Amino acid sequence: MSAPPMTMPAPANAARAEPGHRLTPAPADLLGEYAAWLAERGRGNRCFATAAAAFLRRWPDVQSFAAKQLDVMLAADQHTRPFITFLLLHDLLRPGYDYLAERKFAALVDLARRTRLEEDLHGFIQAATELGFSAHVRSRAAERVLARLLIQTGHRLHELTVSDLQELEAAFRARAERRGRDWSNDRGFLHAAWTVLFHLGVVPVTPPNRRRADHTDHAHHFGGVPAWLAGRLQDYATALTGTHAPSTVDGIAIRLAHFGRHLAVIDPDLDCLAGIERQRHIETYLAAVATARTLRGGQPISAGEQRSRIITLGRFLADITEWGWPDAPPRRLIFSRDIPKLPRPLARATGLRVGELRDLELDCVHEIPDTGAWLKVPLGKLATERMVPLDDDTLALIDRIAQTRSPTRPLPHPKTARPTEFLLTHLGKRVSAAALREELARAAETAGLPKTTPHQLRHTWATALINSGCSLQALMVMLGHTSAAMSLRYARLFDATVRADYERALTQVKAQLGSPANPGKPPTMLPITDITSTSSSWTDAPLLKSRLAGGYCLRTAAQGSCAYAHICEHCPNFRTDATFLPVLAAQRADTAALLADAEARGWGEEAARHQRLLERLDQHMAHTEVS
């Protein structure tokens, strides 16, 4: 599905005109034009005419006004400013972006009617409307940004360049610095105008991220790091730029900076990487990471972040040793046992990751003969591309998103720079991961649920499929979970077995939880806490459970009770003695707990099985105690 073409005010391939001033008419003629312009708008009086005549006597060459100091130009009184505005709109004066950034104009878009600016301003506002910008943003972007660009350059809209935008941006920044204020409003309008110009094909690059300052290196991450170490970390980050994505290098720099600040505290006299010691520097850092807290909120950092900090440091030390840096530590300092274990290592391998969701393309749905609709998941965290089967409800949702998304010019892919039509767009940009998380949290709050993350949704969905009988092999194919052994065996894309497993499991999930397509049946809330918790006992898992002498057995509800469960305890040949009483007692306690759990879940057959075992264990224990 392609986005509808956007309205272009002027041909993008037209020859660029050289900016030139309109020849200034004789003073009498110019004053006559000015009077007619004022009369058309129902404005003006003798004071306006007198001020205009005085301006021309002082600056007969009106462009010489632009050579004056900014404060002199801004000192023009209320009767003179309308004449200056008239000169600007009729290509008789280009005062510079500093003046245009400081000057306030009342209804500049309206004042530009019947001038060469009118057509371009109208086309710009129409394109901004198609992209979904609000009336306020599109009118302010047209007035505050585009009109000033057209006035100062003397060009048509299709002739504007990135350099023009950057010059106006510099003027906005300078204005904010002079006033000691922030320039967030101007930055927002500039960003919106740049976005519209990109989608019109006027400029070839998307606007810079307005929430992040542009930096040519990673030195800004190393605040608080000793200067000698900051230099070496910068060298390392620079060496990685050829093989790593910019965001990855940013993450590495940020995590290494944590170690640098740790060294500054515990050993301020250290001045060389070769002097780093295991006990004094590394082990104290490992302890610091284990208790580290986030800057916002003061919450403990996640186990994943702990691992990332330690792995990044270990990789840095290993790399500089392999590269032969003369100041590399003489021996290995980070070991695999230093890396904390994740509480749920498989959780990250379930469902669409946020990055994969953002990277979905407009044509991500593929209809395969005899196998239905499939979702093409692009290269993600593990650099794997896969196909996931789709049910009718999900397919309808994707169609609805495609119909309501913001129409955009193809955006450069963040990994390949290939022009790409993404599925999730808003105001001419890709929807950010932060926006997706915020919307999910808001939806959870509205539904009266605890704060929910995309990871929990992926994990919940995968667990629901498993609990409904989907095989692990099919789930690995659908969700892109790879390992050295499994990835080669199960990485087939259009597998009929995968489709059959998916549809059978999904039917059971919908029967248990309800479906958006069946509003008559109220949906049952998935046990997100049970599924995502890392502290629950195995006896609390939402599965069929059996206590064994050497461990325990877990089965999904779809598999039913095991025909071999506790077969030995019921066998006539089973024998026990007093030495096994503690084992039997522990098994009996667990069986009683499992019986209560099965009854609470409404699993009648499973409860009856536990009841039979409970009675059999009582018989064995009573017989053993008597003998």
Side-chain angles (χ1 to χ4, degrees), residues 116 242 494:
R116 70 168 183 86
F494 308 111

Side-chain angles (χ1 to χ4, degrees), residues 600-618:
R601 298 179 188 275
W603 294 341
E605 183 180 348
E606 182 72 358
R609 181 174 70 83
H610 290 307
Q611 181 63 46
R612 290 193 298 271
L613 176 61
L614 200 64
E615 295 170 355
R616 187 62 174 168
L617 289 173
D618 286 340

Side-chain angles (χ1 to χ4, degrees), residues 302-304 306-307 335-345:
S302 66
Q306 292 179 27
R307 285 173 53 88
F335 302 91
S336 59
R337 61 179 176 271
D338 296 325
I339 303 172
K341 300 294 188 294
L342 287 175
R344 300 295 291 269

Side-chain angles (χ1 to χ4, degrees), residues 346-410:
L346 292 180
R348 64 183 175 84
T350 58
L352 282 183
R353 302 173 182 90
V354 171
E356 293 170 338
L357 181 62
R358 295 183 64 229
D359 286 346
L360 286 179
E361 299 183 19
L362 193 56
D363 60 350
C364 59
V365 176
H366 294 256
E367 291 283 349
I368 309 300
D370 301 324
T371 60
W374 295 74
L375 180 71
K376 180 181 178 182
V377 183
L379 295 174
K381 180 177 180 180
L382 302 181
T384 57
E385 187 175 70
R386 63 187 186 277
M387 303 294 285
V388 177
L390 295 173
D391 67 305
D392 291 339
D393 293 333
T394 308
L395 190 60
L397 174 61
I398 294 176
D399 287 340
R400 195 158 67 246
I401 293 173
Q403 293 168 2
T404 58
R405 64 187 284 276
S406 171
T408 63
R409 172 187 175 191

Side-chain angles (χ1 to χ4, degrees), residues 14 48 57 77 79 84 133 135 214 257 271 360 369 378 388 398 437 461 470 508 573 587 601 627:
F48 281 44
R57 286 195 299 271
D77 62 25
H79 298 121
I84 296 175
F133 286 103
D214 294 327
D271 60 2
L360 286 179
V388 177
I398 294 176
R437 293 189 180 96
W461 181 70
C470 183
Q508 294 197 37
N573 298 318
Q587 186 177 8
R601 298 179 188 275
S627 61

